[in-house]
Structure formats: structure tokens, C-alpha cells
Amino acid sequence: MLSGFLTVEAGTINVKQIYRFYCAQCHGTEGRGDGINDRPEMPVSPRDHTSRAEMSKLTDEEILDVINNGGEATGKSTVMPAFGKTLKVEEVEALKAYLRELCDC
Amino acid sequence: MRLTYLNISFLISLLATVLFFSSPVLAGGGEAFFNKKGCLECHRVTGGPDETTIEAVLEKKGPELWYAGSKFRPGFIARWLTDPKPIRPMAYYSLTEKNKGDHVRLVPAEALEIAAYLMTLKSATVKPSGIRPHMNIKGKKVFGKEFSCYACHKIKNRKKVLGGLSGPSLVGTRARLNPDWIYAYLTNPRAFRPVMDMPVFAGLVSPKKISHLAEYVSSLE
């Protein structure tokens, strides 16, 4: 958790901005899984990143894996896209730390 | 005085109209019009893929048009400018506001002139790729299962319009986007938009699959 803050504050990476730009369209600006793409016709809803119950099931490795390689990496839906070709390694690391803050887990 | 003035201005505008219709590709006409109508305020027509930070992307007020001649199908721009129905469901890059459909509307003569100018703006990245718009079943599978592109894009599925709201609607792509541009954009998105909220899919699957995908997307009615 603390390392999340350090990554955010120490580096030039603005992780909140990155989350808002790439993830909020589905996961919502506050991370509650209620972004504009959360439509009734979707097969699954985006994960509520503030849910400790859901998010604590994932190890750090799994979170990194799912951001880099998409939902399929953890046996979930491909509605969660792969960002490995979009984001830098440090940005994915910072996002993982940020998610840990959001769920406080 | 007043009458004379009106007469003169009437004559001038008549002359202008005659000139306009007799030579629709008057040198620089479309470009001059584009500037005069305030289009530059929201659309970039020079430079290249220059928005390299999130801040720069969020500052844009409208889609970049510096490669419009490579992106759009002939005829689309002029048609759309006379009847600009929303393409992006949301206001430009907004996560909260709907697209109000309040884009500047032009009369046909102006639209044709400006479209002719915009169609001269090309990107060297877009080359003949042999992409043939048709219901490519392999491409449809990539779109629907492998990448779930509908998560952010609307499409028409058996007369029903379905899909997410963050990306431009893909309903009517066949009449709107150049298939070669779609292929170039999917294989090398950073040549157009170095930073954007659509993830990069190039490199996740074989180029062959991307061409199936481009064939399917370019066929969407």
C-alpha cells in the first residue's frame, strides 16, 4: 500500500490520470465498475476495484498479468483488454499499486 | 445610400456565387473556407502524430484531420458535413457528457469545397493493403470473442445497435472509413494517435488475423 503512494509521488507517473484515461471508461472514475461501457448488453460487468472481497482474491502477479494480457490471463472475459502493448512496464506497476490502494487490500 | 450599398453587396455576392459554382476547385478555396469557418479551432490539419501525452490528447477539441484524405471514404465528408449526425456517442473524450449532435452544419456547396480540400490530406503510412470489405467470419470472431471490440464500440447486430460508448460508433463504417486506413490504424495505431484510450492490439495476434479483422470492420453497415 505504502509503496503505491511512493510510486505515485516519487516518479513522474501520474497514476490517477492514467487510470482515468484508460481504465475509467469501463471501471468508472472512482473504480466502482460503473464506467460508460458498463452496458446491460455486456456479458460481464467490469470489476469493482474498490471491492476488497473481489480484489483480495488476486495476487500482485495476477493483477500485473491481467493488465498486461487481458481478462483471459486470469480465466476471465476478454472484455477486459490487454494493455501490455499500450502501457509502459512502470505504468502497469503503478496501476497495480493504485488498485491495491483502491481496495485497501 | 443604403440602397446603393445593398445593391452593390447583392451584386458582389451574386458574382461570388457564380464564381463559386463555376469553379468549385478554385485554388485554395476549400482550405481558405476551412480557416474562415473556424474549423481550425477544433481540428488540426498540419503536422503529424504529435499528441504524445495524455494532457495533449485531452486538450483536443475535435478529431485530428491531418490524414483525413487517407481515413475517409470519398463522399463521406461532404455528406456528413451537411447532416452531421453523432459518430461518437459521448462528447469528445468525455466520460460524462453525451454528444449533443451540435456540430457545425454546412450547405452542400461549402461542404463539397471543404471535403475536396480535406481529401488532399494524406498519410504516407496508409498504403494499398488488399483489404476487401466483406463479412469475414474469422475477423468477426476476433472482433467478438478474442478482443471484444464491442466493449467500447457500437455495432449493428441483426438490426439492433449494441456496444460500449467510449469509442466512435462503428455503425456505418463501410460508407465512412477507408479499408486501407483501418488496416494501417490497427497495425500501426501510433502513426496516427501515439497516445489514446483505445489499447494497442497490434502484436497480440498475427498480422493475418488483423487483416481478417480489418475486412470485417470495414464491412460494417
Side-chain angles (χ1 to χ4, degrees):
Chain A
M1 256 176 286
L2 193 63
S3 72
F5 273 114
L6 291 177
T7 325
V8 180
E9 234 115 68
T12 47
I13 296 175
N14 183 344
V15 71
K16 258 192 153 149
Q17 184 193 52
I18 293 173
Y19 186 88
R20 236 192 112 86
F21 189 73
Y22 295 102
C23 319
Q25 53 189 320
C26 294
H27 290 280
T29 44
E30 309 295 324
R32 298 211 179 84
D34 57 357
I36 53 173
N37 293 329
D38 179 27
R39 312 268 302 159
E41 64 258 34
M42 297 301 165
V44 285
S45 268
R47 181 76 62 255
D48 178 351
H49 287 152
T50 65
S51 160
R52 180 183 278 191
E54 284 295 332
M55 291 301 290
S56 61
K57 289 181 197 159
L58 299 170
T59 64
D60 283 1
E61 284 65 36
E62 283 171 328
I63 292 182
L64 295 173
D65 201 15
V66 83
I67 300 175
N68 280 319
N69 304 310
E72 254 184 333
T74 51
K76 306 281 176 8
S77 167
T78 58
V79 173
M80 166 63 205
F83 282 92
K85 303 275 178 207
T86 308
L87 301 170
K88 298 191 189 84
V89 176
E90 316 86 79
E91 292 173 329
V92 176
E93 278 284 345
L95 278 168
K96 186 220 47 171
Y98 182 64
L99 295 186
R100 287 293 189 215
E101 273 177 45
L102 283 177
C103 66
D104 192 17
C105 69
Chain B
M1 250 322 253
R2 198 148 173 209
L3 261 179
T4 328
Y5 170 73
L6 272 183
N7 279 338
I8 290 172
S9 65
F10 175 73
L11 275 177
I12 289 176
S13 66
L14 189 73
L15 192 69
T17 314
V18 169
L19 270 178
F20 181 82
F21 281 107
S22 55
S23 56
V25 277
L26 210 68
E31 185 174 4
F33 244 171
F34 192 86
N35 301 350
K36 211 181 95 206
K37 287 267 168 188
C39 317
L40 272 177
E41 213 170 287
C42 303
H43 296 290
R44 193 158 62 79
V45 286
T46 52
D50 298 338
E51 284 92 9
T52 53
T53 60
I54 292 178
E55 286 88 351
V57 171
L58 296 178
E59 263 171 31
K60 289 197 290 179
K61 292 194 205 144
E64 63 288 350
L65 295 174
W66 58 267
Y67 51 86
S70 300
K71 176 176 177 180
F72 298 106
R73 285 270 203 183
F76 168 79
I77 297 179
R79 256 194 331 274
W80 189 78
L81 285 172
T82 57
D83 184 19
K85 292 212 177 67
I87 297 163
R88 291 152 188 83
M90 307 301 288
Y92 198 61
Y93 263 98
S94 172
L95 289 177
T96 47
E97 242 183 277
K98 288 249 147 68
N99 182 343
K100 292 201 222 48
D102 54 359
H103 193 273
V104 197
R105 184 183 296 262
L106 301 180
V107 298
E110 293 173 332
L112 280 170
E113 190 86 345
I114 285 185
Y117 157 64
L118 289 176
M119 288 306 281
T120 65
L121 307 176
K122 308 265 188 191
S123 151
T125 308
V126 183
K127 299 192 184 75
S129 54
I131 296 297
R132 208 167 41 85
H134 70 285
M135 174 47 75
N136 182 317
I137 298 296
K138 286 182 189 150
K140 185 178 184 192
K141 221 175 130 212
V142 178
F143 190 95
K145 296 225 162 71
E146 221 160 318
F147 289 149
S148 295
C149 310
Y150 64 86
C152 306
H153 292 287
K154 290 194 191 187
I155 51 160
K156 204 184 265 173
N157 190 2
R158 293 197 196 91
K159 296 203 170 139
K160 267 184 100 176
V161 174
L162 302 168
L165 304 183
S166 64
S169 171
L170 295 178
V171 177
T173 298
R174 190 178 201 122
R176 178 170 173 254
L177 299 179
N178 172 10
D180 293 329
W181 180 79
I182 295 178
Y183 180 73
Y185 174 78
L186 291 173
T187 45
N188 189 6
R190 292 200 163 102
F192 306 97
R193 298 168 177 156
V195 169
M196 64 164 163
D197 46 358
M198 168 164 156
V200 175
F201 290 94
L204 294 173
V205 290
S206 68
K208 188 83 211 142
K209 270 199 180 169
I210 299 274
S211 60
H212 292 312
L213 178 63
E215 299 211 301
Y216 169 72
V217 171
S218 60
S219 79
L220 293 172
E221 303 281 357

